[in-house]
Amino acid sequence: MEGQDEVSAREQHFHSQVRESTICFLLFAILYVVSYFIITRYKRKSDEQEDEDAIVNRISLFLSTFTLAVSAGAVLLLPFSIISNEILLSFPHNYYIQWLNGSLIHGLWNLASLFSNLCLFVLMPFAFFFLESEGFAGLKKGIRARILETLVMLLLLALLILGIVWVASALIDNDAASMESLYDLWEFYLPYLYSCISLMGCLLLLLCTPVGLSRMFTVMGQLLVKPTILEDLDEQIYIITLEEEALQRRLNGLSSSVEYNVMELEQELENVKTLKTKLERRKKASAWERNLVYPAVMVLLLIETSISVLLVACNILCLLVDETAMPKGTRGPGIGNASLSTFGFVGAALEIILIFYLMVSSVVGFYSLRFFGNFTPKKDDTTMTKIIGNCVSILVLSSALPVMSRTLGITRFDLLGDFGRFNWLGNFYIVLSYNLLFAIVTTLCLVRKFTSAVREELFKALGLHKLHLSNTSRDSETAKPSVNGHQKAL
């Protein structure tokens, strides 16, 4: 009987492993297909040649797609775990959700951590060096020569990074145990290095997310149709049409030798056409879309942003009075045993919405920063080098998203796998400072956003607008059309 029970247990373990592997493969396959369509939408079509460079671009494309799929998996990791916990709590003995268990959730977290390390330290450096390689001098040109040069560059990069980590570890903690662990590559180097990358990603999120939260109002205002209050759209469209015809006549009358004036007029004509298209879209929009959708979306964004700041403020108070608020890793009741939200399923849904909102805001804020503005991808006109840079940036942001969400108290779901083993998560002063900085910077960005119009009027009233003390006033004077549709430069 004992032998039969042992065989039965082994069979059940084998079937569960096969089932979990199949589920993970199907989920990743879906993410990979979606990522492939996203990258091919932005990839420059001129890069598609039929030669050696085409093979290199194709390999780099596959590696970038794999990295973007891993990034999407890291973003979905925490929401999937939260909703799975609530489902298991609501239907503990349902036959159709037996595949959804704690073992699957832990496996997904471990795979996300493993693939994030693989993409960040191996695949993306290989794709970049492989794309830029030409082969060593004196060797026959070809794919093999480029692969050899890429492997040599990867080896040198690995030695450089390991040396930096070794020196930093020896300087920070110089006791006997730490010196002995310096020679352990798998158990010390990679977790320590990934912990540093995670901290950098959280700091990048701390910089991008507040900017993105204030920038989201502008982005949604550009995508939606604003209400028409005391505006005559027909008159504006008529004026813009006359302006377009005048620019077209001036452009046709100039000789091709005056290259600077031609380029300037073409850019001006393109801006006028864009403004005309927006005005025509506003005219065709229904009254419901103009007067209901836009205010509702703005109010929804304001509510989500306010809830995020309030949750961070509550988390700061919890950190001051309760040690369990620290994101130290797995110590909760387990998946499917208790709800981690005060409001149950509704609270879990709100946490998921806020997590996605913070991720979208961080991406918007990342591309809104001046330093990363050149990274913004363009449809059908993005080089493979820029795609690789974007994939690495998105991977760093998405890998740090679960850590940031838990650190800020957006969710109480404990970090699983290697995500909860970072040393700095147990440092009270780092976690408290992170929460304080996020709350303060987000509040300042929102205040600056909603008081920009008042500042402009004050600068104009005091005569300080000529000194260009406000970026918004400078932008409005150079590119913003006036109320009647005219460009101020004209």
Side-chain angles (χ1 to χ4, degrees), residues 468-486:
H468 302 296
L469 297 177
S470 174
N471 292 330
T472 54
S473 63
R474 180 168 62 248
D475 295 338
S476 63
E477 289 181 0
T478 55
K480 184 179 179 180
S482 60
V483 177
N484 61 359
H486 281 291

Side-chain angles (χ1 to χ4, degrees), residues 82-94:
I82 294 173
I83 197 66
S84 299
N85 181 71
E86 297 299 327
I87 291 175
L88 290 174
L89 189 64
S90 302
F91 309 99
H93 304 294
N94 195 315

Side-chain angles (χ1 to χ4, degrees), residues 158-177:
L159 293 176
L160 177 63
I161 294 177
L162 290 178
I164 294 175
V165 173
W166 196 92
V167 173
S169 303
L171 291 176
I172 294 174
D173 197 0
N174 196 19
D175 57 355

Side-chain angles (χ1 to χ4, degrees), residues 91-268:
F91 309 99
H93 304 294
N94 195 315
Y95 174 78
Y96 296 101
I97 60 172
Q98 288 184 357
W99 57 272
L100 191 62
N101 49 40
S103 177
L104 175 64
I105 303 301
H106 281 271
L108 290 175
W109 281 79
N110 291 328
L111 287 176
S113 176
L114 175 63
F115 286 152
S116 297
N117 282 281
L118 180 66
C119 294
L120 194 59
F121 300 123
V122 179
L123 298 185
M124 285 293 93
F126 179 85
F128 176 76
F129 289 131
F130 191 46
L131 194 65
E132 299 293 330
S133 64
E134 297 180 358
F136 291 112
L139 296 179
K140 183 179 179 180
K141 300 297 182 181
I143 297 296
R144 293 184 178 179
R146 299 181 72 161
I147 292 177
L148 178 61
E149 181 184 352
T150 303
L151 293 178
V152 172
M153 294 298 296
L154 282 178
L155 179 61
L156 295 176
L157 179 64
L159 293 176
L160 177 63
I161 294 177
L162 290 178
I164 294 175
V165 173
W166 196 92
V167 173
S169 303
L171 291 176
I172 294 174
D173 197 0
N174 196 19
D175 57 355
S178 298
M179 294 300 295
E180 185 178 353
S181 63
L182 290 175
Y183 301 98
D184 193 344
L185 177 64
W186 186 260
E187 294 294 333
F188 178 79
Y189 268 118
L190 293 182
Y192 181 81
L193 189 59
Y194 190 61
S195 177
C196 296
I197 297 297
S198 174
L199 180 59
M200 292 174 57
C202 289
L203 293 177
L204 184 60
L205 282 175
L206 181 62
L207 179 64
C208 299
T209 307
V211 176
L213 289 174
S214 62
R215 179 70 177 164
M216 284 292 291
F217 295 91
T218 304
V219 173
M220 297 306 298
Q222 294 173 351
L223 296 177
L224 299 176
V225 178
K226 297 181 180 180
T228 56
I229 301 175
L230 301 178
E231 287 186 280
D232 189 351
L233 294 179
D234 293 328
E235 180 185 358
Q236 294 187 27
I237 293 175
Y238 177 72
I239 295 174
I240 286 295
T241 303
L242 293 179
E243 187 174 342
E244 180 183 1
E245 293 175 356
L247 288 173
Q248 191 66 48
R249 286 195 298 269
R250 288 180 59 189
L251 190 61
N252 295 333
L254 287 177
S255 60
S256 58
S257 58
V258 190
E259 183 178 355
Y260 177 75
N261 291 335
V262 170
M263 293 179 60
E264 186 178 356
L265 285 177
E266 286 179 351
Q267 182 64 34
E268 197 171 345

Side-chain angles (χ1 to χ4, degrees), residues 159-458:
L159 293 176
L160 177 63
I161 294 177
L162 290 178
I164 294 175
V165 173
W166 196 92
V167 173
S169 303
L171 291 176
I172 294 174
D173 197 0
N174 196 19
D175 57 355
S178 298
M179 294 300 295
E180 185 178 353
S181 63
L182 290 175
Y183 301 98
D184 193 344
L185 177 64
W186 186 260
E187 294 294 333
F188 178 79
Y189 268 118
L190 293 182
Y192 181 81
L193 189 59
Y194 190 61
S195 177
C196 296
I197 297 297
S198 174
L199 180 59
M200 292 174 57
C202 289
L203 293 177
L204 184 60
L205 282 175
L206 181 62
L207 179 64
C208 299
T209 307
V211 176
L213 289 174
S214 62
R215 179 70 177 164
M216 284 292 291
F217 295 91
T218 304
V219 173
M220 297 306 298
Q222 294 173 351
L223 296 177
L224 299 176
V225 178
K226 297 181 180 180
T228 56
I229 301 175
L230 301 178
E231 287 186 280
D232 189 351
L233 294 179
D234 293 328
E235 180 185 358
Q236 294 187 27
I237 293 175
Y238 177 72
I239 295 174
I240 286 295
T241 303
L242 293 179
E243 187 174 342
E244 180 183 1
E245 293 175 356
L247 288 173
Q248 191 66 48
R249 286 195 298 269
R250 288 180 59 189
L251 190 61
N252 295 333
L254 287 177
S255 60
S256 58
S257 58
V258 190
E259 183 178 355
Y260 177 75
N261 291 335
V262 170
M263 293 179 60
E264 186 178 356
L265 285 177
E266 286 179 351
Q267 182 64 34
E268 197 171 345
L269 181 61
E270 188 67 26
N271 295 335
V272 170
K273 289 182 178 179
T274 302
L275 182 59
K276 181 181 178 182
T277 304
K278 292 181 179 179
L279 290 175
E280 290 177 348
R281 180 170 176 266
R282 292 180 61 186
K283 182 181 179 181
K284 294 178 181 178
S286 62
W288 288 96
E289 185 180 359
R290 289 196 304 266
N291 302 323
L292 182 62
V293 176
Y294 180 83
V297 171
M298 291 296 138
V299 171
L300 182 61
L301 291 179
L302 184 60
I303 292 175
E304 290 180 344
T305 306
S306 303
I307 292 176
S308 301
V309 177
L310 288 176
L311 287 177
V312 175
C314 293
N315 189 55
I316 293 173
L317 296 178
C318 292
L319 287 172
L320 295 175
V321 298
D322 188 5
E323 287 186 357
T324 59
M326 291 289 294
K328 293 182 180 179
T330 305
R331 63 183 183 280
I335 298 175
N337 295 328
S339 179
L340 300 175
S341 176
T342 307
F343 302 100
F345 196 86
V346 177
L350 179 61
E351 290 178 0
I352 293 173
I353 293 174
L354 291 178
I355 290 171
F356 282 123
Y357 179 58
L358 289 179
M359 183 61 198
V360 174
S361 301
S362 64
V363 174
V364 172
F366 176 80
Y367 290 114
S368 300
L369 297 176
R370 293 183 179 180
F371 184 75
F372 301 107
N374 295 328
F375 267 59
T376 306
K378 298 180 181 179
K379 183 182 177 182
D380 297 331
D381 192 27
T382 307
T383 61
M384 275 306 305
T385 304
K386 190 175 290 187
I387 287 176
I388 292 173
N390 279 275
C391 290
V392 172
S393 303
I394 298 298
L395 178 62
V396 172
L397 293 175
S398 60
S399 299
L401 179 66
V403 182
M404 185 193 75
S405 301
R406 180 64 183 90
T407 305
L408 294 178
I410 303 298
T411 179
R412 293 298 176 185
F413 192 91
D414 290 319
L415 300 173
L416 305 178
D418 291 336
F419 288 92
R421 299 174 185 170
F422 300 144
N423 296 329
W424 61 271
L425 290 177
N427 192 312
F428 172 77
Y429 297 102
I430 293 179
V431 175
L432 181 63
S433 301
Y434 192 89
N435 282 263
L436 288 173
L437 284 174
F438 183 88
I440 293 173
V441 174
T442 302
T443 304
L444 291 178
C445 288
L446 292 176
V447 170
R448 181 178 181 274
K449 171 67 180 177
F450 290 114
T451 59
S452 59
V454 178
R455 288 201 317 272
E456 286 184 34
E457 296 301 326
L458 287 176

